[in-house]
Amino acid sequence: MEAKGSCPPVSHKDHQYYGEANSNHLIIFVHGFCGDAKTTWVNNTNGFNFPDQLEKDLAAEGTPAYVISFNYVSNLEVAPSIIDIAKRLSFKIQQLMQNHEYKEISFVAHSMGGIIARQYILRHQPLELSTSTRVDHLVLLGSPTNGAQMADLGEKLLLHNRQIAELRNVDQGNSFLEALNDEWSRHFVEDRTRYILMAAAYETVPMLLDRKLVQFSSTIHLASENMGFSTNHIGLSKPIDKNDDIYQWVKAKLKQSLRQKIKQQFERMKKHLELSRQDISKPPEIDSTMAPGLSVYSRLHSANWLFCKRHTAKTTRDPSGGNTQNSLGIILGRSRFVQEEYS
């Protein structure tokens, strides 16, 4: 659900590469349905190349990255499934990691590309990456996380297109996307066993039949933060220049530090626990501004406050607060492993 006219409008069968391969940061652009590795990211008016300019700006700002636009087949005829595309993406990343072990990996994904990126992160990332290298950033541009209503209609017209079938709305029996979302939610939102900075951009301008290609509720689902832009679905991947709001927003998201945010939240949690030690009767404040993968500290803090309160209620609390201090030590011991994993 990406381009007007032919699908894709121009066939670029090769991946596109920008920058130095020995940089520490690997950024992968993933196009959507009926797109390709080049035309998806190039503005039709003036030829502004999104990934090319991003690589140049990051290098000039002292934070160089190797930027790749990943290509795969997507058309109105028979096309490979999202599952198969994610396997190809995994193979490509394995090749890159054999030549250079990147310390940081990020995705910028348009439309269906966001589902491909999430399929890779959830199903394939542990297979080829060491524990020191994780996907820190996932920037989604109009990605139908909960499916797209337009795909429901498209499936009736394109009976043999696996990609269209996998883009259907979850409430229309899309078991593939429902399972992907359920497992993503369990790892990154509920159990908080994995962490990522996930930001979603959504279109505010209708495109086809006076409708948005991807609905707002589907775009922002599971994202820790979101931002709307005054453009249509295609325009999300084609900023007009480096001063464009979309371009600046994406660059800012990629420069955020997941590890620094976790460290800051860990220190905030310790401060809250110290205050709880002084007044164990007062429940902690939950930090609702953190990303789902980071708010583990807020939720852990709340659970640990109850632990402290129950622990001290069963024992004689001495004037120095010794029992509570012992509980604090236990709590920090239970929590510190998360912070150390990302230090």
Side-chain angles (χ1 to χ4, degrees):
M1 296 180 294
E2 187 152 349
K4 298 178 181 178
S6 60
C7 173
V10 179
S11 180
H12 290 277
K13 299 181 179 180
D14 298 326
H15 309 303
Q16 304 292 305
Y17 303 90
Y18 309 92
E20 299 294 331
N22 60 353
S23 301
N24 288 328
H25 190 184
L26 174 64
I27 301 176
I28 304 173
F29 279 67
V30 187
H31 67 80
F33 180 72
C34 271
D36 63 48
K38 188 171 184 179
T39 57
T40 292
W41 309 106
V42 175
N43 188 280
N44 299 331
T45 302
N46 60 6
F48 180 80
N49 187 315
F50 192 168
D52 183 33
Q53 187 62 50
L54 179 67
E55 185 279 322
K56 292 176 180 176
D57 282 355
L58 291 177
E61 295 169 8
T63 55
Y66 189 39
V67 180
I68 296 175
S69 182
F70 176 75
N71 194 66
Y72 62 90
V73 175
S74 181
N75 53 48
L76 296 178
E77 301 172 355
V78 178
S81 70
I82 291 174
I83 295 173
D84 289 336
I85 297 168
K87 290 179 180 177
R88 287 191 60 237
L89 175 60
S90 176
F91 179 73
K92 180 60 180 176
I93 293 177
Q94 287 183 54
Q95 288 183 319
L96 294 169
M97 294 294 293
Q98 289 174 358
N99 296 326
H100 181 72
E101 186 169 350
Y102 295 93
K103 295 181 179 179
E104 185 178 3
I105 299 177
S106 303
F107 280 101
V108 178
H110 181 238
S111 197
M112 187 179 74
I115 300 176
I116 295 169
R118 290 197 300 121
Q119 172 74 10
Y120 161 76
I121 293 169
L122 199 57
R123 312 292 191 198
H124 299 285
Q125 180 180 257
L127 298 180
E128 73 272 1
L129 299 185
S130 66
T131 56
S132 62
T133 305
R134 301 174 174 87
V135 176
D136 282 3
H137 308 91
L138 176 58
V139 183
L140 303 175
L141 305 176
S143 181
T145 303
N146 258 346
Q149 293 179 350
M150 296 301 295
D152 299 335
L153 174 62
E155 188 190 24
K156 298 176 182 179
L157 302 175
L158 305 169
L159 299 178
H160 302 291
N161 194 300
R162 286 286 303 276
Q163 294 172 11
I164 287 289
E166 292 167 337
L167 284 171
R168 288 181 301 118
N169 205 291
V170 290
D171 60 12
Q172 296 298 316
N174 188 343
S175 58
F176 159 73
L177 197 52
E178 184 177 14
L180 180 67
N181 287 351
D182 286 347
E183 188 166 350
W184 185 278
S185 180
R186 183 166 62 253
H187 284 284
F188 290 98
V189 181
E190 296 171 7
D191 296 341
R192 271 78 174 182
T193 56
R194 299 173 69 174
Y195 306 88
I196 196 168
L197 290 170
M198 178 174 168
Y202 60 90
E203 68 239 44
T204 62
V205 178
M207 181 177 169
L208 186 63
L209 302 176
D210 201 33
R211 298 180 64 181
K212 301 183 184 75
L213 281 187
V214 181
Q215 296 301 306
F216 168 76
S217 59
S218 180
T219 308
I220 68 168
H221 185 57
L222 298 177
S224 55
E225 59 178 293
N226 61 79
M227 178 70 70
F229 294 94
S230 182
T231 186
N232 60 29
H233 188 69
I234 292 177
L236 288 172
S237 66
K238 300 177 183 292
I240 193 166
D241 56 36
K242 62 188 299 182
N243 296 316
D244 191 294
D245 289 342
I246 296 174
Y247 179 86
Q248 290 294 326
W249 181 79
V250 171
K251 187 172 74 167
K253 297 302 107 180
L254 292 173
K255 295 184 73 172
Q256 288 181 342
S257 171
L258 174 61
R259 289 163 177 80
Q260 186 60 34
K261 279 185 173 289
I262 289 181
K263 289 179 181 179
Q264 291 172 352
Q265 188 69 351
F266 181 74
E267 292 302 320
R268 189 181 306 174
M269 185 195 73
K270 288 199 296 184
K271 181 178 179 181
H272 285 328
L273 287 172
E274 288 287 356
L275 293 176
S276 296
R277 183 182 69 82
Q278 298 171 14
D279 184 6
I280 198 65
S281 65
K282 183 180 179 180
E285 296 181 2
I286 298 298
D287 184 356
S288 61
T289 65
M290 300 304 295
L294 302 178
S295 60
V296 59
Y297 290 111
S298 295
R299 292 176 177 263
L300 190 58
H301 177 205
S302 181
N304 286 336
W305 170 76
L306 292 174
F307 172 82
C308 266
K309 190 172 182 180
R310 290 168 183 165
H311 179 77
T312 55
K314 293 181 180 179
T315 58
T316 303
R317 184 177 182 181
D318 60 58
S320 64
N323 291 326
T324 308
Q325 183 63 45
N326 290 338
S327 298
L328 175 63
I330 296 172
I331 291 167
L332 293 180
R334 293 163 60 194
S335 310
R336 185 172 288 112
F337 80 95
V338 178
Q339 190 264 348
E340 290 176 346
E341 276 287 297
Y342 288 82
S343 61

